[in-house]
Amino acid sequence: MTNGSGPGAAGDTVAAVVRQWQAVRPDIDTAPMEVIGRINRCAALLQQAEDAPLRRVGLTRPEFDLLGALRRTGHELTPGELARETFSSGAAVTKRLKQLQERGLVDRRVDSRDRRVSHVRLTDEGRDLVDAILPDQLAYETVVLAGLDADGQGQLSGLLGELLAQLEGRLGLSPGPRG
C-alpha cells in the first residue's frame, strides 16, 4: 500500500500529505509515512473523541486505564507498577491517583517495610464503577470500529499486534500486561 493507494486511502488526510510530499520530493519513499501517519492520526482522533461513556462518569481515558489496571490484575499495585502498566510517567500517575483518591475510587497505603513505597487498590466504589462502565465503553469502541467488518478488524488487530511486539522488543519492554 504505497503512494496512498490502499482502500479508502485516496480521501484521507494522510493520503493528501503523502501526495504533497511526493510532489516536492518524488525521490523519497513515503510508504512508512502512510502507516505511521495513519496510526498517529487515528490515535489523535480517538483521543479527541474523549470516550463518551467515560466522559459521562467524569473519567478521562488515562484515569480509566489506571482503574482498569487495578481491576484486571486483581491486586494492589505501586505507582511505579501502574506507570509501567499504563505506559505513563510517574508524575502523571501521581497526579491521576490523587484525583481518583479524592473521588473515593482508590485507596493508598504505605508499605510496612519501606515508607517511601505506597500500594494502591481499588475501593469498592472504584471496582463497581469500572465494572459498570466497561460494558458501555466496549460498546462505544465497537461503534467506533463498525466501519470495519470482523475480518478487517482481525487483520488490523493482527498487524498492529505484530508492530507493537516489534516496537516493544526494540525498546526492551516485555510484551503484554505486567501483573
Side-chain angles (χ1 to χ4, degrees):
M1 182 173 15
T2 55
N3 302 329
S5 61
D12 76 21
T13 306
V14 174
V17 169
V18 167
R19 283 192 299 275
Q20 290 170 335
W21 274 116
Q22 289 172 342
V24 296
R25 289 294 310 270
D27 58 311
I28 60 172
D29 179 10
T30 57
M33 185 183 297
E34 295 178 45
V35 175
I36 302 300
R38 286 188 176 101
I39 290 171
N40 286 337
R41 180 78 173 142
C42 285
L45 290 170
L46 287 169
Q47 286 178 346
Q48 282 180 10
E50 286 278 329
D51 301 311
L54 299 179
R55 193 172 55 244
R56 277 197 297 275
V57 296
L59 287 176
T60 64
R61 171 57 87 153
E63 290 170 336
F64 181 72
D65 289 345
L66 287 175
L67 296 173
L70 289 165
R71 181 66 173 121
R72 74 174 185 270
T73 61
H75 57 81
E76 295 179 341
L77 296 171
T78 66
E81 290 168 334
L82 282 166
R84 287 187 296 278
E85 279 288 328
T86 60
F87 303 103
S88 301
S89 72
V93 167
T94 298
K95 179 181 176 189
R96 291 176 194 133
L97 286 176
K98 182 178 183 219
Q99 294 166 336
L100 293 170
Q101 189 172 15
E102 288 171 359
R103 289 184 60 187
L105 301 174
V106 299
D107 274 337
R108 291 173 137 175
R109 71 169 179 82
V110 175
D111 189 283
S112 58
R113 292 175 302 229
D114 184 348
R115 299 198 55 77
R116 296 171 296 173
V117 177
S118 66
H119 298 272
V120 182
R121 71 170 188 86
L122 283 176
T123 62
D124 290 343
E125 184 181 345
R127 186 191 65 245
D128 291 347
L129 180 63
V130 171
D131 287 350
I133 195 68
L134 184 60
D136 292 340
Q137 183 62 27
L138 291 172
Y140 170 79
E141 291 174 4
T142 298
V143 170
V144 168
L145 295 172
L148 296 174
D149 63 19
D151 287 342
Q153 288 182 37
Q155 290 173 354
L156 180 59
S157 177
L159 291 170
L160 289 172
E162 288 177 30
L163 178 61
L164 182 58
Q166 288 178 22
L167 292 172
E168 287 176 338
R170 285 187 197 146
L171 297 175
L173 301 172
S174 60
R178 289 158 292 288

